[in-house]
Amino acid sequence: MNMLLNFTDGTPFSKGAADYNNVPGYELSEHMVLMVEVGDHPRKRMTEAVVYTGVPYLICTRAMAKAVGIALDKPEETGRVRVEGVWVEGGIHNVTLTLLADEYKGESVPLPVWAFVPDREEDFNPEHLPPMYLGLKGCLNSFLFAVDPFSQTFHFG
Amino acid sequence: MQDNASKACYESEGFRAHNYLSKVKEDSPRWGYKPKSKLTAVLDKAAEKTAWRTARTEPTIQPGTIGVVPWQLTLDFRPQADAELSEQQPALARLELAVNKRSEQAFINALQEVDWEDRQAREFARAIKLALNIGAPTAAQQIYNKGVARYPNHADLQRYARLFAPTRTATRTLPPNPTLTANREWLKSHRSEYRGQWIAIRNGELLETASSLEELIARVGDTTNVLLTRA
């Protein structure tokens, strides 16, 4: 069933949608986890990312940043973010994030976002969580999105 | 700040002021430090007195101490001759100081005192950079909004457009990915068996496991349409 959202005048709100991975009885059940692609061909990688409005930017581990070809020594800016109460220093980079749509749920959407990569691997290496957070400023606020908690669907576009 | 500097000038006729202001200048190397008229007068007085004493007691000059003070005071701590920044320079200097001290609250406090009228585009850009550096992207957004309203096409501000652009709808789309559901089902059933490991899954089938992402990619080879994540 196509569940794309529309405004009341009929214009589309979202271009795609995907279920988020909510696993009862597991740490991930407290998080909204999406499958996304990061980077550009030929180093585009598919991975999981936590939707996390409590931080800015797309925050990713240094390992994942290297894997998608981010030039860690050439950030657009230097900055810091507070992740779960702890300040983390790092660089801010431009990167392409592709929100992946499930089959029959619209289209996938590639977007330019800002990624934050910590200076030190140990500063952001969450155990038992995906290696990437989708923060608000510079990432989630670059597109329209909505959450249906009953069907566990993340709408974007 | 100026009061402390003035006190130091009077106490030691310039020497302590020299040390204090050296620290101030060190703390604000980019904006520089532009004393207000009262402080300038104090420094002039201290410099004159020290110079006078030096002339009267010339044998007591020691390298790097009193003998250096008049030169430092008159050349280093007066308003900078090439100061292209506007009259609000001290307020912007406080932003720089707050960043140097890694104090987000001091930065926000200093930001509230900045008058953005007659600012140059590069001053807006510099303040945005400082806000990002201190970890205040929302403040950076506010500075950007003011700057871009005044200088909508300036390159220094346009480079931040991607970060601060308002919410928009995507203009380009790609086909959906039919393998997501199968990957998701595999994770629900088997994730706990591989906790702490990096795993590679393609269309609902486990391809490889490894202790690091780098190792996992090396083992998998072509990672097209392969989910790489940590269990």
Side-chain angles (χ1 to χ4, degrees), chain A residues 116-128:
Chain A
F116 178 88
V117 183
D119 289 338
R120 303 186 309 168
E121 182 72 49
E122 59 269 31
D123 283 345
F124 181 71
N125 196 17
E127 291 186 12
H128 309 308

Side-chain angles (χ1 to χ4, degrees), chain B residues 39-211:
Chain B
L39 179 58
T40 304
V42 170
L43 293 176
D44 287 344
K45 188 173 182 179
E48 288 170 8
K49 291 175 74 174
T50 307
W52 174 79
R53 173 181 286 181
T54 301
R56 288 180 59 194
T57 60
E58 47 191 49
T60 64
I61 296 175
Q62 297 296 320
T65 57
I66 296 297
V68 177
V69 171
W71 180 84
Q72 291 280 1
L73 287 171
T74 52
L75 291 184
D76 278 3
F77 304 117
R78 295 203 170 191
Q80 294 179 0
D82 61 345
E84 298 173 16
L85 304 178
S86 51
E87 286 301 312
Q88 292 295 322
Q89 186 177 344
L92 291 175
R94 284 197 290 276
L95 296 181
E96 192 93 40
L97 286 169
V99 172
N100 289 345
K101 293 175 181 175
R102 314 306 287 158
S103 172
E104 184 185 18
Q105 188 57 53
F107 182 88
I108 297 300
N109 292 342
L111 190 62
Q112 291 172 346
E113 298 177 16
V114 177
D115 180 1
W116 292 104
E117 288 296 319
D118 301 324
R119 290 288 175 191
Q120 299 174 22
R122 64 188 182 87
E123 293 178 285
F124 283 98
R126 180 62 189 162
I128 291 168
K129 182 181 180 70
L130 290 173
L132 294 176
N133 195 246
I134 197 66
T138 301
Q141 170 89 67
Q142 293 170 348
I143 300 166
Y144 171 82
N145 291 345
K146 291 174 183 173
V148 81
R150 191 175 185 88
Y151 305 101
N153 299 313
H154 200 286
D156 285 352
L157 296 171
Q158 282 302 309
R159 65 187 295 264
Y160 293 107
R162 183 181 295 181
L163 180 62
F164 298 122
T167 301
R168 61 185 182 275
T169 54
T171 56
R172 190 164 69 96
T173 59
L174 295 172
N177 189 317
T179 71
L180 299 188
T181 302
N183 290 343
R184 200 176 295 118
E185 289 304 315
W186 187 94
L187 287 167
K188 284 181 179 176
S189 302
H190 302 288
R191 181 166 218 146
S192 60
E193 300 167 23
Y194 298 91
R195 291 190 66 162
Q197 296 184 60
W198 283 90
I199 53 178
I201 306 165
R202 177 184 285 145
N203 198 18
E205 291 186 6
L206 179 67
L207 296 181
E208 288 286 353
T209 66
S211 59

Side-chain angles (χ1 to χ4, degrees), chain A residues 67-147:
Chain A
V68 301
I70 291 176
L72 297 178
D73 58 337
K74 297 176 182 174
E76 296 288 327
E77 289 291 357
T78 57
R80 65 176 188 165
V81 298
R82 197 189 329 241
V83 183
E84 294 167 353
V86 178
W87 283 109
V88 177
E89 308 272 348
I92 304 170
H93 305 260
N94 290 319
V95 68
T96 301
L97 168 72
T98 303
L99 297 156
L100 297 175
D102 279 332
E103 194 171 23
Y104 311 121
K105 292 185 180 177
E107 302 289 311
S108 301
V109 175
L111 290 162
V113 300
W114 282 44
F116 178 88
V117 183
D119 289 338
R120 303 186 309 168
E121 182 72 49
E122 59 269 31
D123 283 345
F124 181 71
N125 196 17
E127 291 186 12
H128 309 308
L129 282 178
M132 198 168 287
Y133 288 176
L134 304 182
L136 190 60
K137 185 163 291 297
C139 183
L140 289 172
N141 71 352
S142 297
F143 55 91
L144 297 174
F145 67 92
V147 173

